[in-house]
Amino acid sequence: MEKVIKILIVDDEPFNVNLMDKLVRKAIKRSFSIFDFKITKTVSPTEALESIKSSPPHLLITDIMMPEIDGYQLIKEVRKLYNMEELKIIVVTSLEDRDSRIRALLAGANDYTVKPVDAVEFPIRIMNNIKLIENYLLLKDRTLLLENAVKEATKEIREREREIIFRLAEATEYKDAFTGNHIHRVAEYCKLIAEGYGCDKSFIESIYIASPLHDIGKIAIPEKILGKPGKLTQEEFEIMKKHTIYGANLLKGTKIPLLQFAQKVALYHHEKWNGKGYPEGLKEKEIPLEARITAIADVFDALTSVRPYKKAFPFEKAMEIIKEEIGKSFDPELATIFIEEEKEVYKIYKTFSSLKGEVEDATV
């Protein structure tokens, strides 16, 4: 919280500056403020404007009739930088006519009084403005505290959502002992592709948290199919394909944006760029972006991982297969990003491949 209220006094007559300084100090003593105060004085409006640009006061007290630039212009320049709540302006001038008052107020002054200043009235005006400044600073501080509290609460909710989603995704892996760190690697690969594609922060965070649920529908697939050591029959494969629909149905109807995001990933991550995927045979950009990204991550990780029906492909061979499928299974732009980030892909591949025998080693 700001603890010092800054006041700037501007008048081309040193006598007036010193007089107002004394009356301002008198007002400060009577205000019983919880804030400290710093008073700056100048006879140059140009110098005052430069000072305001670099270190704005909370209260500006200015004359109108001054050389270099007059008070009207000074007020207008200040108002280009700060609004009437951020910086209070009191005009003190010998101009008593109504037009001058209206002109000053239209320029952005908060208050207006005439010279010679009244030794009783002027400090009261200062005290009133100090109270307004205090209220503004206290409200600003409370607003900032509230914003920070909301940010922390939102962060905590997102962390809880992430943990719940990862644990839910891990429940699928209990049925498939060969998947190991699959969901963690897929999440990292998805994040890498999304960042390379220039997705916004919200999308990147969502795909990182939601992509582990891409295979949640496998909960409904019989274990004898999931763990079959050989090639699936056509009938078994048709059953396996239904995990996309089962997963989408499991997540359908939620009002939670993150799970709505995950629902599309679960349903469409086996669609192919050429339209030969499943369950709906979507093609190209008919397939949601989150699913197109997850498809690359999921296939690459499946290639480099041990499965009941196959050994893990070496890293370099898996990258070659991704290249071969550009424009067929995968979005060309997204797959190219993945290939170009080969060194980062390899880091993820090694970092999350801690389970013995889970992946085949390779060098890049």
Side-chain angles (χ1 to χ4, degrees):
M1 184 179 76
E2 294 181 65
K3 295 182 178 179
V4 179
I5 292 177
K6 293 178 287 185
I7 300 174
L8 175 60
I9 302 172
V10 189
D11 194 303
D12 60 320
E13 292 291 339
F15 174 81
N16 290 333
V17 169
N18 291 328
L19 174 61
M20 286 188 286
D21 177 53
K22 289 179 182 179
L23 294 176
V24 167
R25 293 180 188 279
K26 180 180 178 181
I28 290 171
K29 287 181 180 180
R30 291 181 178 179
S31 68
F32 299 104
S33 176
I34 61 172
F35 291 83
D36 293 326
F37 289 82
K38 179 182 178 181
I39 301 174
T40 304
K41 301 176 290 183
T42 180
V43 295
S44 168
T46 304
E47 182 181 296
L49 184 57
E50 290 305 311
S51 174
I52 290 167
K53 289 178 179 178
S54 60
S55 180
H58 298 95
L59 175 60
L60 169 64
I61 303 169
T62 181
D63 187 17
I64 291 293
M65 305 300 291
M66 296 183 290
E68 301 170 2
I69 57 174
D70 63 28
Y72 298 123
Q73 188 61 37
L74 176 61
I75 295 169
K76 288 179 182 179
E77 292 300 318
V78 170
R79 283 293 172 242
K80 291 178 183 178
L81 303 172
Y82 309 102
N83 64 40
M84 297 182 77
E85 286 191 340
E86 294 171 319
L87 197 159
K88 305 294 182 185
I89 300 176
I90 301 178
V91 170
V92 182
T93 179
S94 58
L95 298 174
E96 300 183 42
D97 61 286
R98 179 173 177 270
D99 288 346
S100 296
R101 292 198 303 273
I102 291 174
R103 186 180 174 188
L105 294 172
L106 288 174
N110 297 82
D111 200 356
Y112 189 102
T113 189
V114 296
K115 300 176 183 176
V117 292
D118 187 289
V120 175
E121 178 188 335
F122 184 71
I124 293 173
R125 290 179 182 272
I126 298 297
M127 288 168 62
N128 289 343
N129 277 276
I130 286 174
K131 182 56 66 177
L132 291 173
I133 293 167
E134 287 177 336
N135 290 340
Y136 170 74
L137 293 177
L138 290 171
L139 181 60
K140 180 181 175 183
D141 184 55
R142 288 171 187 161
T143 302
L144 183 61
L145 288 173
L146 182 59
E147 287 175 354
N148 289 335
V150 170
K151 286 180 182 178
E152 286 300 315
T154 302
K155 181 181 178 182
E156 186 176 340
I157 289 170
R158 293 292 278 187
E159 287 296 325
R160 288 179 182 177
E161 288 177 339
R162 180 185 174 190
E163 182 177 356
I164 290 169
I165 285 174
F166 268 88
R167 290 189 181 277
L168 186 58
E170 285 172 348
T172 306
E173 296 190 344
Y174 276 108
K175 294 191 69 176
D176 187 356
F178 287 86
T179 54
N181 283 324
H182 174 65
I183 62 170
H184 298 283
R185 290 190 297 269
V186 166
E188 294 292 336
Y189 294 145
C190 285
K191 180 181 177 183
L192 182 67
I193 297 168
E195 288 175 340
Y197 193 60
C199 297
D200 61 43
K201 184 178 179 181
S202 175
F203 183 94
I204 293 168
E205 183 180 10
S206 293
I207 200 166
Y208 181 73
I209 297 174
S211 59
L213 289 179
H214 65 283
D215 277 340
I216 189 64
K218 286 184 177 179
I219 289 176
I221 303 299
E223 290 183 31
K224 65 180 181 179
I225 295 178
L226 284 176
K228 185 177 179 178
K231 184 178 180 180
L232 298 179
T233 66
Q234 187 60 39
E235 182 182 358
E236 288 170 334
F237 183 58
E238 290 302 318
I239 293 173
M240 176 65 86
K241 286 163 63 175
K242 289 181 180 178
H243 81 276
T244 56
I245 297 171
Y246 294 149
N249 287 341
L250 182 64
L251 299 169
K252 186 170 62 176
T254 179
K255 293 183 179 180
I256 301 172
L258 198 56
L259 293 183
Q260 293 172 347
F261 189 101
Q263 197 259 357
K264 287 189 284 186
V265 170
L267 182 59
Y268 297 120
H269 72 283
H270 280 294
E271 299 287 0
K272 295 185 177 182
W273 186 255
N274 61 11
K276 295 182 179 180
Y278 63 87
E280 297 180 13
L282 301 182
K283 65 179 181 180
E284 299 181 359
K285 293 192 177 180
E286 292 175 349
I287 308 166
L289 175 61
E290 49 268 51
R292 302 200 311 269
I293 291 173
T294 305
I296 298 168
D298 184 36
V299 169
F300 177 79
D301 195 69
L303 289 170
T304 55
S305 301
V306 175
R307 289 291 184 266
Y309 51 87
K310 75 170 188 68
K311 293 182 179 180
F313 282 89
F315 181 90
E316 292 178 346
K317 177 61 178 175
M319 292 297 281
E320 284 300 320
I321 293 173
I322 296 296
K323 288 179 186 177
E324 291 170 5
E325 289 300 313
I326 289 177
K328 299 174 184 178
S329 294
F330 308 127
D331 180 325
E333 190 173 357
L334 297 175
T336 300
I337 290 169
F338 187 77
I339 297 300
E340 289 175 349
E341 293 289 348
E342 185 171 347
K343 290 188 180 296
E344 289 302 315
V345 171
Y346 185 72
K347 287 180 184 178
I348 296 168
Y349 162 84
K350 292 297 291 180
T351 300
F352 291 92
S353 299
S354 59
L355 298 183
K356 187 177 180 182
E358 186 181 339
V359 298
E360 197 75 26
D361 198 6
T363 56
V364 175

PDB file of all heavy atoms in Angstrom, residues 302-332:
ATOM      1  N   ALA A 302       2.562 -43.573 -28.021  1.00  0.00           N
ATOM      2  CA  ALA A 302       2.235 -44.985 -28.209  1.00  0.00           C
ATOM      3  C   ALA A 302       3.335 -45.691 -28.997  1.00  0.00           C
ATOM      4  O   ALA A 302       3.703 -46.830 -28.692  1.00  0.00           O
ATOM      5  CB  ALA A 302       0.900 -45.112 -28.937  1.00  0.00           C
ATOM      6  N   LEU A 303       3.900 -45.000 -29.989  1.00  0.00           N
ATOM      7  CA  LEU A 303       4.977 -45.586 -30.793  1.00  0.00           C
ATOM      8  C   LEU A 303       6.227 -45.864 -29.963  1.00  0.00           C
ATOM      9  O   LEU A 303       6.885 -46.889 -30.129  1.00  0.00           O
ATOM     10  CB  LEU A 303       5.336 -44.641 -31.952  1.00  0.00           C
ATOM     11  CG  LEU A 303       4.318 -44.520 -33.087  1.00  0.00           C
ATOM     12  CD1 LEU A 303       4.703 -43.370 -34.021  1.00  0.00           C
ATOM     13  CD2 LEU A 303       4.194 -45.817 -33.863  1.00  0.00           C
ATOM     14  N   THR A 304       6.570 -44.941 -29.078  1.00  0.00           N
ATOM     15  CA  THR A 304       7.808 -45.068 -28.305  1.00  0.00           C
ATOM     16  C   THR A 304       7.633 -45.832 -26.997  1.00  0.00           C
ATOM     17  O   THR A 304       8.565 -45.921 -26.202  1.00  0.00           O
ATOM     18  CB  THR A 304       8.384 -43.668 -27.981  1.00  0.00           C
ATOM     19  OG1 THR A 304       7.387 -42.887 -27.316  1.00  0.00           O
ATOM     20  CG2 THR A 304       8.826 -42.952 -29.249  1.00  0.00           C
ATOM     21  N   SER A 305       6.448 -46.383 -26.772  1.00  0.00           N
ATOM     22  CA  SER A 305       6.163 -47.096 -25.527  1.00  0.00           C
ATOM     23  C   SER A 305       5.918 -48.582 -25.772  1.00  0.00           C
ATOM     24  O   SER A 305       5.444 -48.983 -26.840  1.00  0.00           O
ATOM     25  CB  SER A 305       4.930 -46.493 -24.838  1.00  0.00           C
ATOM     26  OG  SER A 305       5.117 -45.125 -24.552  1.00  0.00           O
ATOM     27  N   VAL A 306       6.225 -49.369 -24.767  1.00  0.00           N
ATOM     28  CA  VAL A 306       5.932 -50.805 -24.808  1.00  0.00           C
ATOM     29  C   VAL A 306       4.433 -51.015 -24.674  1.00  0.00           C
ATOM     30  O   VAL A 306       3.773 -50.358 -23.870  1.00  0.00           O
ATOM     31  CB  VAL A 306       6.664 -51.530 -23.657  1.00  0.00           C
ATOM     32  CG1 VAL A 306       6.267 -53.011 -23.611  1.00  0.00           C
ATOM     33  CG2 VAL A 306       8.167 -51.380 -23.801  1.00  0.00           C
ATOM     34  N   ARG A 307       3.883 -51.916 -25.487  1.00  0.00           N
ATOM     35  CA  ARG A 307       2.477 -52.270 -25.402  1.00  0.00           C
ATOM     36  C   ARG A 307       2.369 -53.803 -25.372  1.00  0.00           C
ATOM     37  O   ARG A 307       3.305 -54.502 -25.774  1.00  0.00           O
ATOM     38  CB  ARG A 307       1.698 -51.703 -26.597  1.00  0.00           C
ATOM     39  CG  ARG A 307       1.534 -50.185 -26.566  1.00  0.00           C
ATOM     40  CD  ARG A 307       0.594 -49.764 -25.444  1.00  0.00           C
ATOM     41  NE  ARG A 307       0.341 -48.322 -25.444  1.00  0.00           N
ATOM     42  CZ  ARG A 307       1.017 -47.446 -24.732  1.00  0.00           C
ATOM     43  NH1 ARG A 307       2.036 -47.854 -23.994  1.00  0.00           N
ATOM     44  NH2 ARG A 307       0.703 -46.173 -24.768  1.00  0.00           N
ATOM     45  N   PRO A 308       1.249 -54.339 -24.946  1.00  0.00           N
ATOM     46  CA  PRO A 308       1.124 -55.806 -24.886  1.00  0.00           C
ATOM     47  C   PRO A 308       1.385 -56.467 -26.227  1.00  0.00           C
ATOM     48  O   PRO A 308       1.843 -57.608 -26.287  1.00  0.00           O
ATOM     49  CB  PRO A 308      -0.336 -56.003 -24.449  1.00  0.00           C
ATOM     50  CG  PRO A 308      -0.717 -54.751 -23.760  1.00  0.00           C
ATOM     51  CD  PRO A 308       0.037 -53.672 -24.463  1.00  0.00           C
ATOM     52  N   TYR A 309       1.107 -55.763 -27.298  1.00  0.00           N
ATOM     53  CA  TYR A 309       1.191 -56.339 -28.638  1.00  0.00           C
ATOM     54  C   TYR A 309       2.440 -55.924 -29.415  1.00  0.00           C
ATOM     55  O   TYR A 309       2.622 -56.318 -30.570  1.00  0.00           O
ATOM     56  CB  TYR A 309      -0.051 -55.935 -29.463  1.00  0.00           C
ATOM     57  CG  TYR A 309      -0.316 -54.441 -29.441  1.00  0.00           C
ATOM     58  CD1 TYR A 309       0.289 -53.581 -30.344  1.00  0.00           C
ATOM     59  CD2 TYR A 309      -1.157 -53.890 -28.480  1.00  0.00           C
ATOM     60  CE1 TYR A 309       0.066 -52.218 -30.309  1.00  0.00           C
ATOM     61  CE2 TYR A 309      -1.390 -52.517 -28.436  1.00  0.00           C
ATOM     62  CZ  TYR A 309      -0.783 -51.685 -29.353  1.00  0.00           C
ATOM     63  OH  TYR A 309      -1.008 -50.340 -29.295  1.00  0.00           O
ATOM     64  N   LYS A 310       3.324 -55.110 -28.787  1.00  0.00           N
ATOM     65  CA  LYS A 310       4.517 -54.661 -29.511  1.00  0.00           C
ATOM     66  C   LYS A 310       5.599 -54.158 -28.575  1.00  0.00           C
ATOM     67  O   LYS A 310       5.323 -53.805 -27.416  1.00  0.00           O
ATOM     68  CB  LYS A 310       4.153 -53.550 -30.499  1.00  0.00           C
ATOM     69  CG  LYS A 310       3.883 -52.208 -29.828  1.00  0.00           C
ATOM     70  CD  LYS A 310       3.764 -51.100 -30.847  1.00  0.00           C
ATOM     71  CE  LYS A 310       3.679 -49.734 -30.160  1.00  0.00           C
ATOM     72  NZ  LYS A 310       4.938 -49.345 -29.490  1.00  0.00           N
ATOM     73  N   LYS A 311       6.817 -54.093 -29.109  1.00  0.00           N
ATOM     74  CA  LYS A 311       7.900 -53.442 -28.399  1.00  0.00           C
ATOM     75  C   LYS A 311       7.866 -51.945 -28.729  1.00  0.00           C
ATOM     76  O   LYS A 311       7.201 -51.520 -29.663  1.00  0.00           O
ATOM     77  CB  LYS A 311       9.242 -54.033 -28.834  1.00  0.00           C
ATOM     78  CG  LYS A 311       9.450 -55.478 -28.416  1.00  0.00           C
ATOM     79  CD  LYS A 311      10.821 -55.953 -28.847  1.00  0.00           C
ATOM     80  CE  LYS A 311      11.060 -57.400 -28.413  1.00  0.00           C
ATOM     81  NZ  LYS A 311      12.395 -57.895 -28.819  1.00  0.00           N
ATOM     82  N   ALA A 312       8.609 -51.180 -27.953  1.00  0.00           N
ATOM     83  CA  ALA A 312       8.681 -49.738 -28.227  1.00  0.00           C
ATOM     84  C   ALA A 312       9.539 -49.480 -29.454  1.00  0.00           C
ATOM     85  O   ALA A 312      10.586 -50.108 -29.647  1.00  0.00           O
ATOM     86  CB  ALA A 312       9.270 -49.013 -27.026  1.00  0.00           C
ATOM     87  N   PHE A 313       9.086 -48.557 -30.303  1.00  0.00           N
ATOM     88  CA  PHE A 313       9.917 -48.109 -31.414  1.00  0.00           C
ATOM     89  C   PHE A 313      11.018 -47.201 -30.873  1.00  0.00           C
ATOM     90  O   PHE A 313      10.790 -46.430 -29.931  1.00  0.00           O
ATOM     91  CB  PHE A 313       9.076 -47.323 -32.425  1.00  0.00           C
ATOM     92  CG  PHE A 313       8.234 -48.162 -33.323  1.00  0.00           C
ATOM     93  CD1 PHE A 313       6.947 -48.524 -32.967  1.00  0.00           C
ATOM     94  CD2 PHE A 313       8.736 -48.605 -34.547  1.00  0.00           C
ATOM     95  CE1 PHE A 313       6.168 -49.301 -33.793  1.00  0.00           C
ATOM     96  CE2 PHE A 313       7.956 -49.381 -35.396  1.00  0.00           C
ATOM     97  CZ  PHE A 313       6.668 -49.740 -35.011  1.00  0.00           C
ATOM     98  N   PRO A 314      12.203 -47.229 -31.473  1.00  0.00           N
ATOM     99  CA  PRO A 314      13.233 -46.258 -31.098  1.00  0.00           C
ATOM    100  C   PRO A 314      12.739 -44.839 -31.368  1.00  0.00           C
ATOM    101  O   PRO A 314      11.905 -44.610 -32.260  1.00  0.00           O
ATOM    102  CB  PRO A 314      14.411 -46.612 -32.016  1.00  0.00           C
ATOM    103  CG  PRO A 314      14.186 -48.044 -32.386  1.00  0.00           C
ATOM    104  CD  PRO A 314      12.695 -48.197 -32.474  1.00  0.00           C
ATOM    105  N   PHE A 315      13.261 -43.893 -30.628  1.00  0.00           N
ATOM    106  CA  PHE A 315      12.836 -42.493 -30.732  1.00  0.00           C
ATOM    107  C   PHE A 315      12.895 -41.989 -32.168  1.00  0.00           C
ATOM    108  O   PHE A 315      11.938 -41.398 -32.684  1.00  0.00           O
ATOM    109  CB  PHE A 315      13.719 -41.627 -29.831  1.00  0.00           C
ATOM    110  CG  PHE A 315      13.358 -40.170 -29.842  1.00  0.00           C
ATOM    111  CD1 PHE A 315      12.437 -39.658 -28.949  1.00  0.00           C
ATOM    112  CD2 PHE A 315      13.935 -39.292 -30.760  1.00  0.00           C
ATOM    113  CE1 PHE A 315      12.091 -38.313 -28.945  1.00  0.00           C
ATOM    114  CE2 PHE A 315      13.592 -37.940 -30.776  1.00  0.00           C
ATOM    115  CZ  PHE A 315      12.668 -37.460 -29.866  1.00  0.00           C
ATOM    116  N   GLU A 316      14.034 -42.215 -32.833  1.00  0.00           N
ATOM    117  CA  GLU A 316      14.213 -41.680 -34.185  1.00  0.00           C
ATOM    118  C   GLU A 316      13.224 -42.292 -35.173  1.00  0.00           C
ATOM    119  O   GLU A 316      12.721 -41.609 -36.075  1.00  0.00           O
ATOM    120  CB  GLU A 316      15.646 -41.909 -34.648  1.00  0.00           C
ATOM    121  CG  GLU A 316      16.654 -41.066 -33.870  1.00  0.00           C
ATOM    122  CD  GLU A 316      18.083 -41.328 -34.303  1.00  0.00           C
ATOM    123  OE1 GLU A 316      18.324 -42.343 -35.002  1.00  0.00           O
ATOM    124  OE2 GLU A 316      18.948 -40.520 -33.948  1.00  0.00           O
ATOM    125  N   LYS A 317      12.923 -43.600 -35.010  1.00  0.00           N
ATOM    126  CA  LYS A 317      11.966 -44.256 -35.892  1.00  0.00           C
ATOM    127  C   LYS A 317      10.568 -43.667 -35.695  1.00  0.00           C
ATOM    128  O   LYS A 317       9.833 -43.434 -36.670  1.00  0.00           O
ATOM    129  CB  LYS A 317      11.945 -45.761 -35.600  1.00  0.00           C
ATOM    130  CG  LYS A 317      10.918 -46.548 -36.415  1.00  0.00           C
ATOM    131  CD  LYS A 317      11.163 -46.445 -37.905  1.00  0.00           C
ATOM    132  CE  LYS A 317      10.153 -47.289 -38.686  1.00  0.00           C
ATOM    133  NZ  LYS A 317      10.291 -47.109 -40.161  1.00  0.00           N
ATOM    134  N   ALA A 318      10.221 -43.405 -34.434  1.00  0.00           N
ATOM    135  CA  ALA A 318       8.907 -42.817 -34.137  1.00  0.00           C
ATOM    136  C   ALA A 318       8.778 -41.433 -34.758  1.00  0.00           C
ATOM    137  O   ALA A 318       7.722 -41.082 -35.312  1.00  0.00           O
ATOM    138  CB  ALA A 318       8.705 -42.736 -32.630  1.00  0.00           C
ATOM    139  N   MET A 319       9.853 -40.648 -34.724  1.00  0.00           N
ATOM    140  CA  MET A 319       9.822 -39.322 -35.344  1.00  0.00           C
ATOM    141  C   MET A 319       9.641 -39.448 -36.860  1.00  0.00           C
ATOM    142  O   MET A 319       8.928 -38.646 -37.478  1.00  0.00           O
ATOM    143  CB  MET A 319      11.111 -38.555 -35.029  1.00  0.00           C
ATOM    144  CG  MET A 319      11.270 -38.156 -33.559  1.00  0.00           C
ATOM    145  SD  MET A 319       9.992 -37.008 -32.953  1.00  0.00           S
ATOM    146  CE  MET A 319      10.581 -35.454 -33.609  1.00  0.00           C
ATOM    147  N   GLU A 320      10.260 -40.441 -37.463  1.00  0.00           N
ATOM    148  CA  GLU A 320      10.117 -40.663 -38.906  1.00  0.00           C
ATOM    149  C   GLU A 320       8.669 -41.000 -39.252  1.00  0.00           C
ATOM    150  O   GLU A 320       8.140 -40.542 -40.274  1.00  0.00           O
ATOM    151  CB  GLU A 320      11.056 -41.790 -39.355  1.00  0.00           C
ATOM    152  CG  GLU A 320      12.508 -41.390 -39.470  1.00  0.00           C
ATOM    153  CD  GLU A 320      12.743 -40.275 -40.474  1.00  0.00           C
ATOM    154  OE1 GLU A 320      12.096 -40.290 -41.549  1.00  0.00           O
ATOM    155  OE2 GLU A 320      13.540 -39.362 -40.174  1.00  0.00           O
ATOM    156  N   ILE A 321       8.026 -41.797 -38.417  1.00  0.00           N
ATOM    157  CA  ILE A 321       6.633 -42.169 -38.670  1.00  0.00           C
ATOM    158  C   ILE A 321       5.722 -40.946 -38.589  1.00  0.00           C
ATOM    159  O   ILE A 321       4.803 -40.783 -39.393  1.00  0.00           O
ATOM    160  CB  ILE A 321       6.177 -43.264 -37.675  1.00  0.00           C
ATOM    161  CG1 ILE A 321       6.937 -44.562 -37.951  1.00  0.00           C
ATOM    162  CG2 ILE A 321       4.670 -43.493 -37.765  1.00  0.00           C
ATOM    163  CD1 ILE A 321       6.706 -45.652 -36.929  1.00  0.00           C
ATOM    164  N   ILE A 322       5.987 -40.062 -37.620  1.00  0.00           N
ATOM    165  CA  ILE A 322       5.205 -38.812 -37.512  1.00  0.00           C
ATOM    166  C   ILE A 322       5.367 -38.000 -38.797  1.00  0.00           C
ATOM    167  O   ILE A 322       4.386 -37.473 -39.345  1.00  0.00           O
ATOM    168  CB  ILE A 322       5.641 -37.991 -36.280  1.00  0.00           C
ATOM    169  CG1 ILE A 322       5.356 -38.744 -34.979  1.00  0.00           C
ATOM    170  CG2 ILE A 322       4.935 -36.624 -36.282  1.00  0.00           C
ATOM    171  CD1 ILE A 322       3.897 -39.016 -34.698  1.00  0.00           C
ATOM    172  N   LYS A 323       6.607 -37.914 -39.307  1.00  0.00           N
ATOM    173  CA  LYS A 323       6.855 -37.176 -40.554  1.00  0.00           C
ATOM    174  C   LYS A 323       6.068 -37.777 -41.715  1.00  0.00           C
ATOM    175  O   LYS A 323       5.476 -37.059 -42.527  1.00  0.00           O
ATOM    176  CB  LYS A 323       8.352 -37.204 -40.881  1.00  0.00           C
ATOM    177  CG  LYS A 323       9.222 -36.362 -39.984  1.00  0.00           C
ATOM    178  CD  LYS A 323      10.684 -36.483 -40.396  1.00  0.00           C
ATOM    179  CE  LYS A 323      11.598 -35.756 -39.410  1.00  0.00           C
ATOM    180  NZ  LYS A 323      13.031 -35.923 -39.768  1.00  0.00           N
ATOM    181  N   GLU A 324       6.074 -39.115 -41.779  1.00  0.00           N
ATOM    182  CA  GLU A 324       5.386 -39.803 -42.882  1.00  0.00           C
ATOM    183  C   GLU A 324       3.878 -39.559 -42.849  1.00  0.00           C
ATOM    184  O   GLU A 324       3.215 -39.587 -43.889  1.00  0.00           O
ATOM    185  CB  GLU A 324       5.658 -41.309 -42.797  1.00  0.00           C
ATOM    186  CG  GLU A 324       7.099 -41.683 -43.114  1.00  0.00           C
ATOM    187  CD  GLU A 324       7.393 -43.144 -42.792  1.00  0.00           C
ATOM    188  OE1 GLU A 324       6.448 -43.876 -42.409  1.00  0.00           O
ATOM    189  OE2 GLU A 324       8.565 -43.542 -42.907  1.00  0.00           O
ATOM    190  N   GLU A 325       3.328 -39.305 -41.647  1.00  0.00           N
ATOM    191  CA  GLU A 325       1.879 -39.144 -41.490  1.00  0.00           C
ATOM    192  C   GLU A 325       1.425 -37.682 -41.587  1.00  0.00           C
ATOM    193  O   GLU A 325       0.238 -37.390 -41.413  1.00  0.00           O
ATOM    194  CB  GLU A 325       1.434 -39.744 -40.158  1.00  0.00           C
ATOM    195  CG  GLU A 325       1.495 -41.263 -40.123  1.00  0.00           C
ATOM    196  CD  GLU A 325       0.602 -41.903 -41.175  1.00  0.00           C
ATOM    197  OE1 GLU A 325      -0.574 -41.489 -41.286  1.00  0.00           O
ATOM    198  OE2 GLU A 325       1.077 -42.805 -41.900  1.00  0.00           O
ATOM    199  N   ILE A 326       2.356 -36.765 -41.846  1.00  0.00           N
ATOM    200  CA  ILE A 326       1.983 -35.361 -42.031  1.00  0.00           C
ATOM    201  C   ILE A 326       1.059 -35.244 -43.245  1.00  0.00           C
ATOM    202  O   ILE A 326       1.371 -35.744 -44.333  1.00  0.00           O
ATOM    203  CB  ILE A 326       3.241 -34.482 -42.233  1.00  0.00           C
ATOM    204  CG1 ILE A 326       4.018 -34.366 -40.921  1.00  0.00           C
ATOM    205  CG2 ILE A 326       2.851 -33.083 -42.735  1.00  0.00           C
ATOM    206  CD1 ILE A 326       5.316 -33.581 -41.026  1.00  0.00           C
ATOM    207  N   GLY A 327      -0.083 -34.629 -43.051  1.00  0.00           N
ATOM    208  CA  GLY A 327      -1.062 -34.487 -44.129  1.00  0.00           C
ATOM    209  C   GLY A 327      -1.939 -35.697 -44.317  1.00  0.00           C
ATOM    210  O   GLY A 327      -2.881 -35.659 -45.106  1.00  0.00           O
ATOM    211  N   LYS A 328      -1.623 -36.769 -43.605  1.00  0.00           N
ATOM    212  CA  LYS A 328      -2.461 -37.980 -43.653  1.00  0.00           C
ATOM    213  C   LYS A 328      -3.215 -38.096 -42.328  1.00  0.00           C
ATOM    214  O   LYS A 328      -4.404 -37.824 -42.251  1.00  0.00           O
ATOM    215  CB  LYS A 328      -1.601 -39.219 -43.897  1.00  0.00           C
ATOM    216  CG  LYS A 328      -0.828 -39.192 -45.208  1.00  0.00           C
ATOM    217  CD  LYS A 328       0.105 -40.395 -45.308  1.00  0.00           C
ATOM    218  CE  LYS A 328       0.961 -40.343 -46.549  1.00  0.00           C
ATOM    219  NZ  LYS A 328       1.916 -41.482 -46.624  1.00  0.00           N
ATOM    220  N   SER A 329      -2.479 -38.495 -41.295  1.00  0.00           N
ATOM    221  CA  SER A 329      -3.096 -38.583 -39.966  1.00  0.00           C
ATOM    222  C   SER A 329      -3.105 -37.233 -39.259  1.00  0.00           C
ATOM    223  O   SER A 329      -4.019 -36.937 -38.477  1.00  0.00           O
ATOM    224  CB  SER A 329      -2.343 -39.599 -39.105  1.00  0.00           C
ATOM    225  OG  SER A 329      -2.472 -40.900 -39.616  1.00  0.00           O
ATOM    226  N   PHE A 330      -2.075 -36.401 -39.536  1.00  0.00           N
ATOM    227  CA  PHE A 330      -1.846 -35.225 -38.710  1.00  0.00           C
ATOM    228  C   PHE A 330      -1.918 -33.899 -39.463  1.00  0.00           C
ATOM    229  O   PHE A 330      -1.579 -33.829 -40.656  1.00  0.00           O
ATOM    230  CB  PHE A 330      -0.475 -35.320 -38.025  1.00  0.00           C
ATOM    231  CG  PHE A 330      -0.252 -36.608 -37.288  1.00  0.00           C
ATOM    232  CD1 PHE A 330       0.873 -37.386 -37.531  1.00  0.00           C
ATOM    233  CD2 PHE A 330      -1.174 -37.055 -36.348  1.00  0.00           C
ATOM    234  CE1 PHE A 330       1.076 -38.577 -36.851  1.00  0.00           C
ATOM    235  CE2 PHE A 330      -0.983 -38.241 -35.662  1.00  0.00           C
ATOM    236  CZ  PHE A 330       0.149 -39.018 -35.920  1.00  0.00           C
ATOM    237  N   ASP A 331      -2.337 -32.886 -38.737  1.00  0.00           N
ATOM    238  CA  ASP A 331      -2.333 -31.503 -39.215  1.00  0.00           C
ATOM    239  C   ASP A 331      -0.894 -31.152 -39.603  1.00  0.00           C
ATOM    240  O   ASP A 331       0.017 -31.232 -38.784  1.00  0.00           O
ATOM    241  CB  ASP A 331      -2.826 -30.601 -38.076  1.00  0.00           C
ATOM    242  CG  ASP A 331      -2.858 -29.126 -38.443  1.00  0.00           C
ATOM    243  OD1 ASP A 331      -1.975 -28.666 -39.195  1.00  0.00           O
ATOM    244  OD2 ASP A 331      -3.743 -28.416 -37.954  1.00  0.00           O
ATOM    245  N   PRO A 332      -0.628 -30.786 -40.859  1.00  0.00           N
ATOM    246  CA  PRO A 332       0.742 -30.521 -41.307  1.00  0.00           C
ATOM    247  C   PRO A 332       1.471 -29.469 -40.468  1.00  0.00           C
ATOM    248  O   PRO A 332       2.654 -29.636 -40.143  1.00  0.00           O
ATOM    249  CB  PRO A 332       0.552 -30.039 -42.753  1.00  0.00           C
ATOM    250  CG  PRO A 332      -0.731 -30.662 -43.187  1.00  0.00           C
ATOM    251  CD  PRO A 332      -1.600 -30.664 -41.968  1.00  0.00           C
TER     252      PRO A 332
END
